[in-house]
Amino acid sequence: MKHVYLETFGCQMNVADTDRMELLLFHSGYTRTQHAEDADLILVNTCSIRDKAEQKVYSLFGSFRPLKQQNPDLLFGLAGCLAQQEQESLLKRMPFLDFIIGPDAVEDIPLAVDRVRREGKPLAWTEFDREKHYSIPVVQPVKPPGPSAFVNIIKGCDKFCSFCVVPFTRGREKSREASEIYGEVRQLVDQGAREIILLGQNVNAYGKRGLEKPVAFHELLYGVAEIPGVERLRFTTSHPRDFTPETVQAFREIDKLVNHLHLPVQSGNDRILDRMRRSHTVAEYMEQIDALRNAVPDIALSTDIIVGFPGETESEFEDTLRLMEKVGYSNSYMFAYSPRPNTPAALYEDSVPEEEKKRRLHATIDLQSRLTDQLSQQFLDKEVEVLVESRTSRQNMTFKGRNPEYWMVIFSGGEDELQTGDLARVRVHSAQGHVLKGEYVSKHAPATAVSL
């Protein structure tokens, strides 16, 4: 076996794509190594959603370059959204790269590697998949998925928000057939998965394009929940425009659908949302939040926030802070705006100075830290259910995992009773940021399938 070193930047879709490439490469003669200096192939899966992510990739390959000088047979590959965005210009900027492949070429990674080795010249494989249907062929797994497993159900996005590169790097929306998704979930459960996370750049747009047998997103949720062995169900990332009353009903009715939702708002001001082409208003977003809280009062919410968008005034920024406080997010992914190539917003005057963007970002982070600290108090001296993900090296702690609300929980005890994938009852005694600390109480019985 040859060795491949893999590194991933970006979203959970990229993590899932890297896992898929690792599997495909294994079946073509590569096993994964954790040490770049031992590799025959170094493959970096990239993100282009923020400029900072791009710069990290360029720096990383710069650090790898001496390895190629020591081993001329070593291949460098760059995959993902940055490859799709920059295409052949990457090969000019980094002439030591051997190939680049876009997100739609994940299934072709063994062919790309073989072609480069056979022909001995750089390769750019960035054409979009022209098939009308989205399918992920079954490949025999080489390792257990772990207690929590990702399942891609839709790729691409049709929203074309003015700041976002996703439609240009991952293409238009296409959904996988529900029967294929159910088959993959059954396979993952048979291998030990207990929590299924349904993935898509716009996951709740599932079923709108690419299906021979149409299935709505909320119907898919019920279908996955009925599969024996699924004990928890999550999905990410949603768009408010596609969030339906039927999905709210699913949260109320499906016990396995955990009480956590990531629902990006991006801004708390209607004028900025309009410039962002988000196709929803603050009032419409809050109606969805209220409906969710009426259905599931203790649901935990997280979001994405962009500050310093072109033209954003101080009062408009303060609207975002007010919305954050009103919703009470347990966690947020917060960014200062940076223009991305090919996006409409890149043509706007970037009128907010960088120092002001940094100030607004720090203020947003400070607010979220305060909200997180406040919300963590609800768990103190109470028992929570934890899906055990692994052991932890934290001092005086034994295991780590997540509760249904997606807080990380580390706890002591249970050494003689628990293993990865078990559900444990843990009494929380303290909190630090988005991490809860506690002590093991007892093993928790698995959930049962919904009956409809």
Side-chain angles (χ1 to χ4, degrees), residues 298-352:
D298 60 346
I299 192 164
L301 297 164
S302 57
T303 197
D304 294 346
I305 297 288
I306 296 175
V307 301
F309 192 75
E312 182 189 65
T313 66
E314 177 64 19
S315 64
E316 289 168 337
F317 164 64
E318 290 173 355
D319 285 343
T320 297
L321 298 181
R322 280 189 285 271
L323 181 138
M324 291 176 66
E325 290 211 70
K326 187 174 182 180
V327 175
Y329 295 110
S330 63
N331 192 29
S332 297
Y333 297 91
M334 299 156 284
F335 308 94
Y337 172 77
S338 61
R340 311 313 300 135
N342 303 318
T343 62
L347 302 177
Y348 298 167
E349 181 186 357
D350 195 2
S351 56
V352 182

Side-chain angles (χ1 to χ4, degrees), residues 24-41:
L24 295 168
L25 286 167
F26 179 86
H27 285 282
S28 65
Y30 286 83
T31 186
R32 188 167 188 171
T33 177
Q34 300 301 318
H35 306 287
E37 58 271 20
D38 296 333
D40 301 283
L41 165 64

